[in-house]
């Protein structure tokens, strides 16, 4: 007989699809809500029992009977650690492992039958993020004895072994398929009622932002002349702003600093990167400023004088207006959203991240958290000497404009 309120969440998916980050989000959110929740990771058991030499690809070859038996044993140990923990007072056990074959899942079901199981399959088909994840994995201590190329190959081979056995969720009584980049539930197949379902379902589709510091670059030579777009450098005042921002945030632990590919954005991030050397810098091209087409390099006044119809059309509907040969806020919004999803995916469970963006880009990012009407988005205030601090987790939503 099932004990009321207890649940197994069993993750399923290829390596590098976001399982462990999801486990951490579930764990932190449910624990924050007072639930006794713990994550059981097959890899942790493997590294504990076999501290050396289980990272080589052949260990994952399903045709290798000896290693398959060993991996089954590891999975079983992990299952029983979860099962015993629920028996001893735990409420929610998250099983974090690939679990890609139906045979493995049948085994899970035969051992974990006393409480409901919710399966979540994680999917991520973005080639850029896949490459990024592989790169990150190759830097793990278990690959430290290999060259970068050997480690990359070994991890790819491991994934290909998992692919051989991959059977998508289908027969499981309760399962969800999650696109972990876009936070979209691709399939929801739930036959039973069980605890915390709606809380978990909400968590899966929400952006998880523990601390986003959204900064605009400092003043450039072109800003001072009210010139549109381009790739100018910060002027002296802008450099002072960059140093002031770094000074202000120097005690803030930062996982990542994301910039656009533009010089002004990268230059703004430099002093902060020096102050927080542990933060990784990544360029996300989707954060490049709105492209103003034929108006790039013009001042607003020049645009008004030489292209009066364009100027009037922009004033009439700034969100939908498309610069000839360039973009509109509407098209910008979708690429910035993609960039934000990428940044959040890469940041994983990092406590704090910083995005150094641009006026229009930061408006598009903020629109996600402020739920502004489309026509208002191009008018959101993005001052150069202030930044937005954003928190968006299940129990807390904050958007505040602070000075540095
Ligand atoms: O003026 C700086 C800038 O970043 C330009 O490069 C960009 O075209 C503009 O701001 C976007 O703001 P708006 O849509 O209000 O012109």
């Amino acid at each position: 007989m099932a004990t009321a309120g207890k649940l197994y969440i069993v993750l399923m998916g290829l390596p590098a699809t976001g399982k462990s980050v999801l486990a951490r989000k579930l764990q932190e959110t449910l624990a924050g809500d007072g639930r006794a929740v713990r994550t059981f990771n097959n890899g942790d058991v493997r590294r504990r029992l076999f501290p050396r030499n289980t990272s080589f690809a052949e260990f994952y070859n399903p045709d290798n009977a000896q290693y398959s038996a060993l991996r089954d044993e590891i999975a079983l140990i992990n299952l029983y650690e979860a099962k015993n923990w629920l028996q001893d007072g735990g409420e929610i056990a998250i099983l974090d492992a690939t679990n890609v074959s139906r045979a493995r899942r049948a085994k899970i079901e035969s051992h974990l039958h006393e409480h409901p199981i919710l399966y979540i399959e994680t999917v991520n088909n973005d080639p850029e993020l896949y490459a990024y994840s592989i790169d990150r994995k190759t830097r793990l201590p278990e690959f430290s004895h290999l060259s970068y190329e050997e480690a990359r190959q070994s991890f790819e081979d491991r994934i290909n072994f998992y692919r051989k056995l991959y059977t998508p969720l289908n027969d499981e009584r309760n399962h969800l398929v999650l696109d972990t980049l876009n936070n979209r539930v691709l399939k929801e197949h739930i036959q039973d009622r069980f605890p915390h379902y709606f809380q978990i379902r909400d968590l899966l589709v929400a952006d998880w932002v523990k601390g986003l510091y959204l900064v605009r670059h400092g003043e450039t030579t072109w800003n001072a002349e009210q010139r549109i777009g381009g790739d100018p450098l910060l002027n002296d005042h802008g450099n002072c702003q960059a140093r002031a921002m770094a000074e202000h945030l120097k005690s803030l632990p930062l996982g990542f600093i994301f910039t656009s590919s533009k010089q002004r954005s990268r230059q703004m991030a430099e002093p902060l990167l020096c102050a927080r050397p542990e933060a990784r810098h990544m360029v996300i091209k989707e954060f490049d400023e709105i492209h103003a087409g034929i108006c790039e390099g013009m001042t607003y006044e020049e645009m008004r004088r030489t292209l009066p119809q364009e100027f009037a059309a922009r004033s009439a509907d700034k969100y939908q207006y498309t610069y000839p040969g360039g973009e509109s806020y509407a098209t910008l919004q979708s690429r910035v959203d993609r960039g934000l999803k990428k940044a959040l995916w890469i940041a994983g469970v990092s406590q704090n991240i910083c995005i150094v963006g641009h006026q229009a880009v930061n408006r598009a990012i903020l629109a996600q958290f402020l739920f502004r009407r489309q026509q208002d988005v191009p008018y959101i205030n993005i001052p150069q000497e202030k930044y937005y601090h954003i928190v968006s987790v299940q129990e807390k939503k904050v958007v505040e404009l602070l000075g540095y």
Side-chain angles (χ1 to χ4, degrees), residues 29-30 33 35 196-204 394:
T29 306
L30 293 165
D33 203 33
R35 310 267 73 95
H196 322 297
Y197 182 68
F198 294 108
Q199 190 179 6
I200 293 166
R201 182 68 176 72
D202 173 52
L203 178 74
L204 298 180
Q394 207 163 50

Side-chain angles (χ1 to χ4, degrees), residues 322-385:
T322 307
Y323 282 108
E327 291 178 296
S328 64
Y329 267 89
T331 51
L332 173 81
Q333 185 78 60
S334 62
R335 79 161 156 90
V336 169
D337 288 352
R338 199 169 58 239
L340 182 63
K341 295 275 186 227
K342 259 192 207 176
L344 295 176
W345 198 93
I346 288 169
V349 293
S350 300
Q351 190 75 24
N352 297 308
I353 62 169
C354 176
I355 298 176
V356 182
H358 302 263
Q359 176 151 256
V361 166
N362 287 11
R363 285 173 176 153
I365 293 174
L366 265 174
Q368 297 299 307
F369 301 101
L370 292 174
F371 306 107
R372 298 292 291 264
R373 292 179 306 175
Q374 283 185 349
Q375 68 263 38
D376 298 340
V377 172
Y379 301 99
I380 299 174
N381 182 28
I382 310 288
Q384 264 164 334
E385 265 166 19

Side-chain angles (χ1 to χ4, degrees), residues 14 40 117 187 225 263 272 284 330 333 338 354 361:
L14 290 173
F40 297 85
I117 297 177
K187 183 178 177 198
E225 296 166 11
Q263 301 187 90
L272 185 57
I284 296 205
Q333 185 78 60
R338 199 169 58 239
C354 176
V361 166

Side-chain angles (χ1 to χ4, degrees), residues 166-183:
Y166 198 96
T167 315
L169 296 182
N170 189 47
D171 300 336
E172 293 71 14
R173 279 192 66 77
N174 301 298
H175 65 266
L176 293 163
V177 180
L178 179 71
D179 168 348
T180 55
L181 172 59
N182 296 299
N183 299 337

